[in-house]
Amino acid sequence: MINIIRITNTCIDLGYWLSHFKKSTTVVISKSNKPSYNNSKLFRPIVLLNTVGKLIEKVISNRLQFHVALNSFIHLSQLGGLKFKSTTDAGIMLMHIIHLGWVKNLSTSTLVFDTAQFFSSLNHHFLTLILRKVGFNLYIANFFSNYLIGRKTNYFWNSSTSPSLDVNVGVSQGLALSPILPAFYLSPFLYILEKCLKILKIPISILLFVDDGLLL
């Protein structure tokens, strides 16, 4: 583990993510119990990466989470992809909001939503700006500027394999850092939304579990 930590520190200091760790295999799996499969949205891409690289990413993820726990940057409504938060916490918060409505003799309506193509749509430049806003030093921002680009993958579907293709958009699901990065990405939006709702005096609450959410 000491060697993993040393490699992690070196990658951050140099602002560089090894190209070997940027290569992946994307296995395309069909979603179950669908009447037909004539739409790409009916398939789920799963990214398989180098195990050592994922261990290093896990170390970095733990450091990021420790930092944001100290400065409270992540909005309280974001309950997914974070340590010490789970679906149980989401359920407790949901019940708390409903009970607050009961105290005021009000009923609570719920709108469930899913952000389509969320991970593949994350803007790299905006993400690095947010990392600086959080308070991370320039080494972290430079590391992620390199970490997010220059990726390649081979798509594997049934018995067919594609040639190596460039993947330079979004954040791939399957990365050890893919849960925490969206939490950073969405926090400014949640703070702005909360402020606007208060100004307009609209009694709406929002709960997010990574890219799935509830409006109450």
Side-chain angles (χ1 to χ4, degrees):
M1 193 62 189
I2 293 176
N3 290 331
I4 295 294
I5 294 174
R6 286 174 178 169
I7 296 172
T8 302
N9 292 336
T10 302
C11 288
I12 292 174
D13 290 341
L14 295 176
Y16 181 74
W17 187 238
L18 297 172
S19 58
H20 181 68
F21 296 149
K22 294 183 179 183
K23 297 176 182 178
S24 64
T25 297
T26 302
V27 180
V28 181
I29 300 175
S30 58
K31 296 180 181 179
S32 60
N33 301 321
K34 302 296 181 182
S36 65
Y37 293 91
N38 57 0
N39 191 309
S40 60
K41 293 182 179 180
L42 300 174
F43 297 86
R44 191 185 307 280
I46 304 298
V47 179
L48 305 179
L49 292 148
N50 180 279
T51 303
V52 175
K54 294 191 76 168
L55 282 173
I56 299 171
E57 288 184 14
K58 195 67 176 177
V59 173
I60 296 172
S61 176
N62 287 339
R63 291 183 180 180
L64 296 181
Q65 299 221 26
F66 178 78
H67 181 84
V68 296
L70 292 177
N71 67 10
S72 302
F73 177 80
I74 302 295
H75 195 278
L76 292 175
S77 295
Q78 178 58 266
L79 299 168
L82 302 170
K83 283 184 173 296
F84 311 116
K85 290 190 176 181
S86 65
T87 51
T88 301
D89 296 302
I92 291 172
M93 285 194 68
L94 174 61
M95 293 303 299
H96 174 69
I97 292 170
I98 292 173
H99 286 166
L100 284 178
W102 288 352
V103 170
K104 299 176 182 179
N105 200 28
L106 298 173
S107 299
T108 301
S109 299
T110 302
L111 176 65
V112 182
F113 65 90
D114 171 50
T115 310
Q117 307 299 315
F118 175 71
F119 285 89
S120 59
S121 301
L122 297 186
N123 183 284
H124 293 170
H125 178 65
F126 184 59
L127 184 54
T128 54
L129 289 177
I130 290 173
L131 291 171
R132 294 180 184 179
K133 180 70 174 178
V134 175
F136 291 114
N137 60 39
L138 193 59
Y139 289 107
I140 296 293
N142 289 340
F143 168 77
F144 277 101
S145 293
N146 183 269
Y147 170 86
L148 293 167
I149 64 173
R151 292 185 170 273
K152 294 182 178 294
T153 193
N154 298 89
Y155 287 92
F156 184 82
W157 183 30
N158 294 333
S159 59
S160 302
T161 305
S162 75
S164 182
L165 301 171
D166 292 332
V167 184
N168 287 319
V169 294
V171 175
S172 299
Q173 287 182 270
L175 302 177
L177 284 161
S178 62
I180 183 64
L181 292 179
F184 287 138
Y185 197 88
L186 287 171
S187 279
F189 161 75
L190 292 172
Y191 282 114
I192 293 170
L193 177 63
E194 180 183 52
K195 183 178 180 179
C196 291
L197 291 174
K198 285 183 178 179
I199 292 173
L200 297 173
K201 297 181 180 180
I202 300 175
I204 293 179
S205 299
I206 184 170
L207 297 179
L208 276 183
F209 203 84
V210 189
D211 60 331
D212 299 317
L214 290 173
L215 289 174
L216 302 108

